[in-house]
Amino acid sequence: MTAEARQVIENLAKAIIQRNYHMDTYIQSLREHFSAQADPSMALPMKKYMRNQFDFLGIKTPKMARLHRQFVTQHGWTDASQLPSLTKTLWQWPEREYQYLALRFVDHFISQLTPDHLPMLERLVLNKSWWDTVDSIAIHPVGHLFSRFSSEREPYLVKWRSHESIWLRRTTLLFQLTYKNKTDKALLFSLIEENLGSQEFFINKAIGWALREYSKIAPNTVEQYVKEPELASLSRREALKWIKKKAKETGKVS
């Protein structure tokens, strides 16, 4: 090995060590910043609202946003390349606010996400799974990536749509929620039909939510589709909410 090559390797090693040190310090500062604002009096009702599945610091959303802005002002944003390690660490901490914080970082870097980040997003969906994080992941980063890199989404759709996890299947039902006229109707209805007959609340709720959003684009199509006999009553009620609201506003129903 030449002296020049050896120097390049040494410089790279030093850069990695410095970056890891910076990341460790960054994450520690992040935890100290938020844990200092913990409110036990709020933590318990927040935990109960989430069916006692997660511990909480007791920091509500408006304060979370304010604290995050303060932290970024003082410490800046981490590099987008650090997202996988940052989100992994934040997902391991017991308090739910840290998972919300991880998704704030993901959303900030959403324009820099690539299909290489899909394994990271899959891991987040599959761990500490509940609607409060899964829906955000499905609609924002997954929806963004599947739209921007539509030719590369198929392997993930094939895997997720038949996965034993209801949360990955819910993700496939919701990722087009903001697509409006760009919604792939054939795909949407195919995904719905694969889940007809499900007894899972979160699947049937997602079906109804997806149909409700699509009804804003194609109300007649959705009105016809809800006659599907296998459609759960929950899905049907959710699907027709916007249509019924608009009909009432225009005086077509009493």
Side-chain angles (χ1 to χ4, degrees), residues 24 28 44 74 98 123 149 173 247:
D24 289 344
Q28 182 60 34
L44 185 57
Q74 184 176 356
Y98 291 121
R123 171 172 51 80
F149 302 98
L173 290 164

Side-chain angles (χ1 to χ4, degrees), residues 163-181:
H163 202 279
E164 62 181 10
S165 168
I166 65 167
W167 300 108
L168 282 176
R169 298 206 307 278
R170 182 175 169 96
T171 297
T172 66
L173 290 164
L174 297 181
F175 82 88
Q176 296 192 88
L177 215 62
T178 62
Y179 283 19
K180 301 186 183 301
N181 287 318

Side-chain angles (χ1 to χ4, degrees), residues 17-35:
I17 292 172
Q18 290 174 351
R19 186 179 65 182
N20 290 340
Y21 174 78
H22 171 74
M23 195 62 193
D24 289 344
T25 303
Y26 188 87
I27 290 175
Q28 182 60 34
S29 298
L30 192 66
R31 186 163 199 171
E32 291 173 357
H33 184 72
F34 281 86
S35 63

Side-chain angles (χ1 to χ4, degrees), residues 109-158:
F109 290 110
I110 197 166
S111 64
Q112 298 180 48
L113 298 181
T114 72
D116 289 339
H117 288 96
L118 284 167
M120 174 192 76
L121 297 173
E122 179 181 281
R123 171 172 51 80
L124 300 184
V125 169
L126 288 172
N127 287 276
K128 297 189 176 180
S129 310
W130 201 241
W131 62 266
D132 56 337
T133 54
V134 171
D135 293 359
S136 179
I137 295 166
I139 297 167
H140 300 297
V142 171
H144 171 80
L145 286 171
F146 279 5
S147 174
R148 188 179 175 193
F149 302 98
S150 57
S151 63
E152 299 184 48
R153 76 185 184 189
E154 192 59 27
Y156 289 92
L157 278 177
V158 169

